Amino acid sequence: MNYSYKYLFSACLTFLLCCFFYIFTFNFQVGIPTYLSVGIERLYANKTNYAEHYGQPKLAIISGYNAFYGIRCQSFQTEIGLGCLNGGTHMGLGIDYLLYRGKKWLRPGDIVLLSLEYSHYISDGIPSDTLIDYVVAFDRQYLDSLNWMSKVKFVMSVPIGRIIEGIKNRLAHIDFHQSYQYEQSFFEGLNGDNDHLYEVEQTPQMKAFITQITASKDLQGWVSQTSGLKSIDTFVKWCHQKNILVLATWPNTIWFDAYNDPKTEQFFTSIIQFYQALNVPILGQPQDFMYDQSLFYDNNYHLNRQGIEIRTQKTIDFFKEF
């Protein structure tokens, strides 16, 4: 019996020491950036600066990759005469965080255009490595805003690699303003646009990669009661309470004949009915923003310069009709 108690005591003590060590190492690297997180922070800093200094009602586009590599807000603003913020950042941050940060840009009288990637509609709500990496580096406030259960899940989901990189960067006292020149000159569009894309050429490797992309298997079947849909539902109701008009549209992505499948049509119909139930007008149909591979830059949500011009004009036309 005594042996059993000793074993149990040793096991509990070991567990507590491991927890203490993990919490210590986690907190030791909180606030320490990594290469990827610095790039995302540059995006948010630029877009937030525009949102805070544009006093009149504006159009704010919220999305992951596809708006940043798909819509040019400067063209939108010139043709419509309405201030436009390109709030496209990083799809990997997840729908919860994209909408959480989007709220900070909005004021009563604004218009929101949700141009969400399809993966956000079927999101399970589990924090991604990208979200964890960025929040740990730059947004402790978001972590503190979570309920205790979500906070525990978040902390326990931090990859060991992220903790190791954070500790190494803290001990090395890296000057990130000097170390990441790429991010310093990147993503500096006046409206949060991706002006950098207008200065670079698509490499043969990028073109070859695009040709290897296949149709997404996620675009099948009816979508309902997902964590992603619940997040969007909550966000839309918040906007309506704040006198903020919400519109939706479809992401730019590569067209495949497989998307003619009835199961894919069912997928689209479920999203349409979801927005209709929330009284959110939808600009265009999914196929209106599906393009040939030749118009994409380096993945299935990133248009090249020509593609951005085409998609931007089509979005403007639909907005005018609305």
Side-chain angles (χ1 to χ4, degrees), residues 77-318:
Q77 184 165 316
T78 299
E79 189 162 343
I80 299 294
L82 177 68
C84 182
L85 167 64
N86 189 330
T89 53
H90 196 301
M91 183 179 72
L93 291 170
I95 185 62
D96 287 333
Y97 192 79
L98 292 177
L99 298 179
Y100 165 82
R101 287 298 293 263
K103 287 181 179 180
K104 298 179 181 295
W105 296 329
L106 301 174
R107 302 291 182 271
D110 285 348
I111 302 173
V112 177
L113 178 60
L114 297 177
S115 180
L116 304 175
E117 287 80 5
Y118 291 118
S119 60
H120 289 140
Y121 294 105
I122 58 176
S123 170
D124 56 12
I126 298 175
S128 67
D129 289 352
T130 301
L131 174 64
I132 292 170
D133 182 35
Y134 177 73
V135 168
V136 168
F138 289 103
D139 201 350
R140 181 63 183 262
Q141 184 178 357
Y142 172 76
L143 180 58
D144 292 339
S145 72
L146 300 176
N147 60 52
W148 71 271
M149 181 61 73
S150 298
K151 191 178 299 184
V152 169
K153 289 181 179 179
F154 188 97
V155 172
M156 298 307 295
S157 298
V158 179
I160 296 299
R162 173 57 176 90
I163 293 179
I164 293 174
E165 184 177 1
I167 292 174
K168 287 171 61 178
N169 289 344
R170 176 180 284 280
L171 295 176
H173 301 288
I174 295 176
D175 185 344
F176 288 91
H177 291 89
Q178 297 298 322
S179 300
Y180 297 126
Q181 294 291 340
Y182 182 70
E183 280 74 13
Q184 286 190 327
S185 60
F186 206 19
F187 314 139
E188 294 297 334
L190 295 177
N191 297 68
D193 288 332
N194 186 356
D195 285 353
H196 175 76
L197 194 59
Y198 280 73
E199 303 171 3
V200 298
E201 295 296 331
Q202 190 177 21
T203 66
Q205 291 81 5
M206 291 177 179
K207 293 179 180 180
F209 177 76
I210 291 295
T211 62
Q212 298 174 10
I213 297 175
T214 58
S216 173
K217 296 181 180 179
D218 292 333
L219 277 60
Q220 292 188 343
W222 196 269
V223 183
S224 65
Q225 300 300 316
T226 65
S227 177
L229 292 181
K230 292 176 182 177
S231 295
I232 299 168
D233 180 284
T234 300
F235 174 79
V236 170
K237 291 176 180 176
W238 177 88
C239 287
H240 288 168
Q241 292 174 355
K242 300 291 184 179
N243 191 32
I244 298 168
L245 175 64
V246 183
L247 306 176
T249 192
W250 308 92
N252 35 260
T253 190
I254 299 174
W255 163 256
F256 293 99
D257 291 339
Y259 293 155
N260 284 320
D261 188 280
K263 291 183 179 179
T264 300
E265 185 61 32
Q266 190 180 47
F267 176 88
F268 294 144
T269 300
S270 66
I271 295 175
I272 292 172
Q273 292 189 9
F274 167 74
Y275 279 126
Q276 288 176 338
L278 292 173
N279 295 315
V280 173
I282 306 175
L283 306 185
Q285 298 294 322
Q287 295 79 4
D288 292 322
F289 302 101
M290 291 183 173
Y291 304 111
D292 184 77
Q293 291 177 339
S294 62
L295 294 178
F296 286 81
Y297 181 62
D298 61 356
N299 77 29
N300 61 318
Y301 282 124
H302 291 188
L303 289 169
N304 57 28
R305 283 175 289 183
Q306 183 184 1
I308 290 175
E309 296 292 348
I310 293 172
R311 194 266 155 86
T312 297
Q313 190 58 52
K314 182 162 287 190
T315 306
I316 291 173
D317 292 341
F318 280 123

